[in-house]
Amino acid sequence: MGCHYAGQMPVTVLLVDDEPLVRAGLRAVLEAQPDIEVVGEAADGAAVIPLVRQLRPDVVAMDVRMPLLDGIEATRAVLRTVEDPPKILVVTTFENDEYVYEALRAGADGFLLKRARPAEIVNAIRLVAEGDSLLFPAAVRALAAEYGNGSARTALAEAALTEREAAVLRLMARGLSNAEIAGKLIVGTETVKTHVSAVLAKLGARDRTQAVIAAYESGFVAPS
């Protein structure tokens, strides 16, 4: 599926929310951007898989709480059954919601508050589509401290990260992009990408969000 950048195809988005006004608001904000295209809408998580297969969006903006199938189960279903799945951005009312944390643990790539300003909404879609930075790391830290269950401790202990990979994971946990990590470590961006890929592989993590959650839950990085 790949990521999109300036001058290339727009980032395509599927909106999933049981409130028509929320979908309309998100659509208006996103379609005002030349590099983002809303390709479809759904009112419940139960409709997500057929639409993802039909429309092949880059990003799904997914409400957490929906009547038939909530965003957590819909996220799990997409990642389990769709080949080359889209990025999933959870849309929520409260950032300290246990549902949000469960959605992130299920494989969502980040989350967006419904009260976010238009510029924040657009930035969130672009950031998640590019996939080389972590969305709202401070909030992930707080959620991990409150809801983390410690199950990642063994996995990270057994991962045998090198010293450089450990340094990269710590910087990922702070929300730094690949370019920012490269600047901190005084290495090339491609080198950072190689280290990030190694970290994800060793942790069995789908993406940066999963790796950072494991880092916090294991105690490798302190939530404070």
Side-chain angles (χ1 to χ4, degrees):
M1 191 170 301
C3 303
H4 300 295
Y5 302 90
Q8 296 186 4
M9 297 290 289
V11 174
T12 54
V13 182
L14 171 66
L15 303 176
V16 186
D17 197 295
D18 61 333
E19 297 180 43
L21 281 175
V22 172
R23 297 199 308 272
L26 287 171
R27 178 182 279 275
V29 167
L30 297 176
E31 292 202 326
Q33 304 301 313
D35 61 333
I36 299 175
E37 178 187 359
V38 176
V39 293
E41 297 183 14
D44 194 85
V48 170
I49 287 180
L51 283 174
V52 164
R53 286 184 171 143
Q54 175 192 345
L55 303 170
R56 302 302 298 168
D58 296 305
V59 179
V60 177
M62 180 101 72
D63 189 16
V64 175
R65 298 172 183 266
M66 293 178 286
L68 294 177
L69 190 69
D70 66 32
I72 301 169
E73 290 305 318
T75 295
R76 288 193 182 110
V78 168
L79 299 180
R80 186 174 62 243
T81 63
V82 176
E83 187 178 351
D84 191 18
K87 301 288 187 178
I88 296 179
L89 180 63
V90 171
V91 183
T92 180
T93 305
F94 306 107
E95 67 183 41
N96 61 344
D97 189 343
E98 186 175 2
Y99 276 79
V100 173
Y101 194 66
E102 284 305 311
L104 293 175
R105 293 186 81 236
D109 298 278
F111 66 91
L112 175 68
L113 295 175
K114 290 188 178 183
R115 65 174 182 272
R117 296 189 299 271
E120 293 172 330
I121 294 170
V122 170
N123 181 60
I125 294 291
R126 289 176 180 148
L127 196 61
V128 165
E130 289 169 6
D132 80 340
S133 188
L134 184 68
L135 192 60
F136 298 137
V140 173
R141 284 199 292 273
L143 288 164
E146 188 167 357
Y147 299 113
N149 60 16
S151 63
R153 219 167 257 120
T154 304
L156 204 137
E158 294 176 349
L161 300 181
T162 66
E163 188 176 335
R164 182 48 61 91
E165 289 164 357
V168 167
L169 179 55
R170 289 190 181 94
L171 293 172
M172 284 167 57
R174 287 169 50 188
L176 273 62
S177 67
N178 288 345
E180 290 167 333
I181 293 172
K184 287 276 187 186
L185 299 180
I186 318 177
V187 296
T189 306
E190 290 304 316
T191 300
V192 172
K193 288 181 180 178
T194 300
H195 288 315
V196 170
S197 295
V199 169
L200 299 187
K202 287 184 176 182
L203 294 181
R206 171 178 177 257
D207 54 28
R208 298 170 90 94
T209 304
Q210 304 303 297
V212 168
I213 285 174
Y216 284 122
E217 287 196 350
S218 67
F220 177 78
V221 178
S224 57

